[in-house]
Amino acid sequence: SDAGPGGRLETQRIYSICCLPDGVTLSGMADGDILSWSLREDNLHVCTKRLSDVHNGPIHVVSYFENSDSQHAFLATGGADGTLKLHTPFMKSVTVTIQWGAVVDRVVHVKGAETSEKTKSMKLIRALDFNFGQQTLLVGCGYGVVIELDLS
């Protein structure tokens, strides 16, 4: 059986998954790649594209955001490498890379001394949400911490 553009058949952990409006599914992988999946006529998903080295290590979050009039859209990814990346729709290019560890260090410094274990956990991006009206990105981290970034 043909493994498609995803490479040879192998087992690898999927850390995150995101469905796009056009029916394509993206998965963030343990090796830092993103795989693009499409549904075949026999209702099986097949890997149609591999985007290599999106992050250096596991991708914990892949999220797609589109405003209500569908005029503005982007993808956001968060990796174990400590970066948060904003991509043009359908992963054509990275528009912004945020060194998430540095953001967390600034937040911890402002709020006071935190334990190193808690700070390390906060550097792992677990969830993302975006508010188009306010141009803010909410980033969920370890220990239930949510940090709001103003992207305006």
Side-chain angles (χ1 to χ4, degrees), residues 10-21:
E10 61 185 70
T11 301
Q12 187 184 154
R13 287 191 177 187
I14 295 175
Y15 276 71
S16 56
I17 195 162
C18 173
C19 297
L20 302 180

Side-chain angles (χ1 to χ4, degrees), residues 39-129:
L39 191 61
R40 293 191 322 202
E41 290 177 14
D42 58 2
N43 286 331
L44 291 176
H45 280 89
V46 61
C47 180
T48 55
K49 189 179 196 182
R50 178 184 290 265
L51 303 159
S52 298
D53 304 319
V54 175
H55 285 273
N56 185 18
I59 299 175
H60 290 284
V61 179
V62 178
S63 295
Y64 176 79
F65 302 104
E66 181 177 271
N67 69 346
S68 59
D69 62 8
S70 301
Q71 295 297 314
H72 297 41
F74 69 95
L75 279 156
T77 59
D81 59 0
T83 61
L84 171 63
K85 295 183 179 185
L86 307 181
H87 310 262
T88 57
F90 312 108
M91 304 292 296
K92 292 188 172 113
S93 66
V94 175
T95 57
V96 175
T97 298
I98 298 168
Q99 297 302 320
W100 185 246
V103 172
V104 169
D105 289 341
R106 284 194 300 270
V107 169
V108 169
H109 177 73
V110 169
K111 293 190 79 82
E114 298 280 350
T115 65
S116 61
E117 179 184 325
K118 185 173 181 178
T119 301
K120 184 177 179 181
S121 179
M122 287 171 60
K123 291 180 181 181
L124 292 177
I125 300 165
R126 299 288 185 199
L128 297 168
D129 200 6

